[in-house]
């Protein structure tokens, strides 16, 4: 087969490796190099770096909507286009170019969590399970029929970063299974998504990272996990803005105003919430690095219960 792969972030790298295992990837599409780091120099995407290391030609159009970009893709004569977190819209004209259309690896059990941030939203919502779907793409946002899927439990302690890595590998496995069937002349059965259970995983916004102590502790703990490693939850703790990398919810009846420091020890700093308390275990001061609650208290000797 002649496969064209389209992807950009680290999540897509495992799938690119799976697609390239039989030397069938004739080209890789990825977003243009973007400014990154303190120097704001142009940086290649993780998918581009992987493609270059494999000697695969790389294309980086700003859009696939213009006729020239579409003709360039058509000239590659792809049998299949595999799309994994590419970040650009594929018009209907592009979806129709490959012989077998376009497949997408999506990090949720569709139709739950269509959209940009399915991994984080699943944790934030308290879902017990999630997974990956191999989907036949159509014009709608993640609305296409599902070809294959795999389910996985979400651990109570899983962070967004940990679940990202798990689903990246699972996505590569599902893609490899689908490609194996196609090589054998068996096209996976396309099963339409059910109309019930549709939810949307809206793009993460840094403004969401600010914790509101008036909310229930269990929900805040899930947000802390979901937003690790980005954008990282933040809050005001005894007058200081801190980022919170690790926390657990306590089922605690306290009768105190939200935001009150209930206890401060090496085990953590317990903050009163609208319901229950949130124990902060790993924090980051402005301009500093992530440290344990014990180390934070060494620097905040003024912090006392009720402070």
């Amino acid at each position: 087969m002649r496969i064209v792969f389209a992807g950009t972030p680290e999540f897509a790298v495992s799938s690119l490796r799976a697609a390239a295992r039989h030397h069938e990837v004739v080209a890789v599409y990825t977003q243009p190099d973007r400014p990154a780091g303190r120097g704001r120099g142009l940086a290649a995407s993780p998918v581009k770096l992987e493609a270059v290391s494999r000697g695969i030609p790389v294309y980086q159009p700003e859009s696939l909507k213009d006729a020239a970009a579409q003709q360039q893709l058509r000239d590659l004569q792809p049998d299949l286009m595999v799309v994994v977190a590419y970040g650009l819209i594929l018009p209907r004209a592009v979806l129709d170019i490959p012989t077998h259309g376009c497949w997408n690896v999506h990090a949720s059990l569709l139709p739950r969590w269509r959209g940009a941030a399915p991994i984080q939203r699943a944790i934030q919502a308290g879902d017990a399970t999630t997974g990956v779907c191999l989907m036949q793409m159509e014009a709608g946002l993640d609305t296409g029929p599902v070809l294959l899927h795999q389910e996985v439990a979400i651990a109570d302690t899983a962070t967004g970063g940990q679940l990202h890595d798990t689903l990246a590998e699972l996505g590569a496995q599902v893609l490899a299974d689908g490609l194996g069937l196609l090589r054998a002349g068996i096209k996976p059965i396309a099963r339409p998504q059910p109309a019930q259970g549709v939810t949307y995983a809206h793009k993460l916004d840094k403004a969401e990272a600010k914790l509101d102590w008036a909310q229930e502790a269990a929900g805040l703990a899930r947000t802390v996990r979901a937003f690790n490693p980005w954008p990282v939850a933040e809050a005001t703790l005894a007058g200081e803005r801190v980022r919170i990398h690790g926390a657990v919810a306590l089922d605690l009846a306290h009768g105190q105003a939200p935001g009150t420091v209930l206890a401060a020890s090496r085990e953590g700093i317990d903050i009163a919430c609208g319901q229950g308390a949130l124990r902060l275990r790993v924090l980051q001061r402005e301009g500093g690095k992530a440290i344990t609650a014990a180390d934070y208290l060494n620097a905040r000797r003024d912090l006392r219960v009720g402070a």
Side-chain angles (χ1 to χ4, degrees):
M1 287 190 296
R2 293 177 60 82
I3 297 172
V4 169
F5 186 93
T8 298
E10 188 64 38
F11 181 84
V13 172
S14 295
S15 289
L16 172 55
R17 290 170 181 159
R21 199 163 292 145
H22 294 268
H23 310 287
E24 296 169 321
V25 177
V26 296
V28 162
Y29 278 68
T30 191
Q31 288 201 37
D33 297 355
R34 307 292 188 196
R38 292 187 177 181
R40 306 307 292 167
L42 292 179
S45 73
V47 163
K48 179 179 179 178
L49 295 176
E50 180 70 20
V52 170
S53 73
R54 292 174 173 271
I56 302 172
V58 175
Y59 297 85
Q60 297 178 271
E62 289 284 354
S63 170
L64 289 174
K65 294 181 179 180
D66 66 275
Q70 292 174 14
Q71 186 57 50
Q72 186 179 61
L73 176 61
R74 200 172 285 111
D75 291 343
L76 292 169
Q77 299 181 323
D79 294 309
L80 178 71
M81 189 169 186
V82 174
V83 182
V84 187
Y86 181 28
L88 292 183
I89 294 173
L90 271 60
R92 165 59 66 185
V94 169
L95 298 176
D96 291 340
I97 290 173
T99 304
H100 298 291
C102 301
W103 287 2
N104 174 241
V105 175
H106 184 77
S108 80
L109 297 175
L110 294 166
R112 187 161 178 79
W113 302 127
R114 294 173 179 171
I119 297 172
Q120 294 85 354
R121 299 305 182 193
I123 294 175
Q124 197 176 20
D127 290 2
T129 60
T130 186
V132 292
C133 285
L134 183 63
M135 178 187 66
Q136 184 79 47
M137 295 181 70
E138 57 181 34
L141 176 63
D142 299 331
T143 59
V146 173
L147 305 172
L148 298 170
H149 73 277
Q150 285 284 350
E151 186 173 323
V152 66
I154 301 177
D156 292 339
T157 58
T159 65
Q162 291 166 342
L163 188 56
H164 167 283
D165 293 349
T166 296
L167 295 182
E169 292 302 321
L170 195 61
Q173 177 186 322
V174 170
L175 174 61
D177 290 345
L179 291 175
L181 290 172
L182 202 56
R183 286 189 201 100
I186 305 170
K187 192 165 185 179
I189 298 172
R191 294 178 171 84
Q193 295 181 34
Q196 296 76 32
V198 175
T199 57
Y200 288 91
H202 298 289
K203 185 178 180 181
L204 298 182
D205 188 321
K206 283 189 175 183
E208 296 181 79
K210 187 171 178 57
L211 300 185
D212 178 0
W213 297 127
Q215 296 182 4
E216 64 166 346
L220 295 179
R222 292 195 300 268
T223 295
V224 170
R225 291 192 292 112
F227 287 10
N228 181 349
W230 193 91
V232 184
E234 62 178 65
T236 300
L237 170 58
E240 181 182 24
R241 177 182 171 274
V242 295
R243 305 178 84 193
I244 303 168
H245 293 262
V248 294
L250 304 177
D251 185 10
L252 181 66
H254 50 72
Q256 300 295 315
T260 301
V261 179
L262 301 173
S265 69
R266 297 185 64 84
E267 284 69 42
I269 303 167
D270 300 346
I271 309 297
C273 300
Q275 182 177 334
L278 190 67
R279 174 167 289 175
L280 312 183
R281 288 180 167 172
V282 183
L283 306 89
Q284 182 180 1
R285 306 185 78 180
E286 198 81 57
K289 63 181 181 179
I291 56 176
T292 64
D295 288 338
Y296 178 81
L297 291 173
N298 287 338
R300 286 291 307 270
R301 294 186 181 278
D302 62 302
L303 195 60
R304 296 291 184 269
V305 172

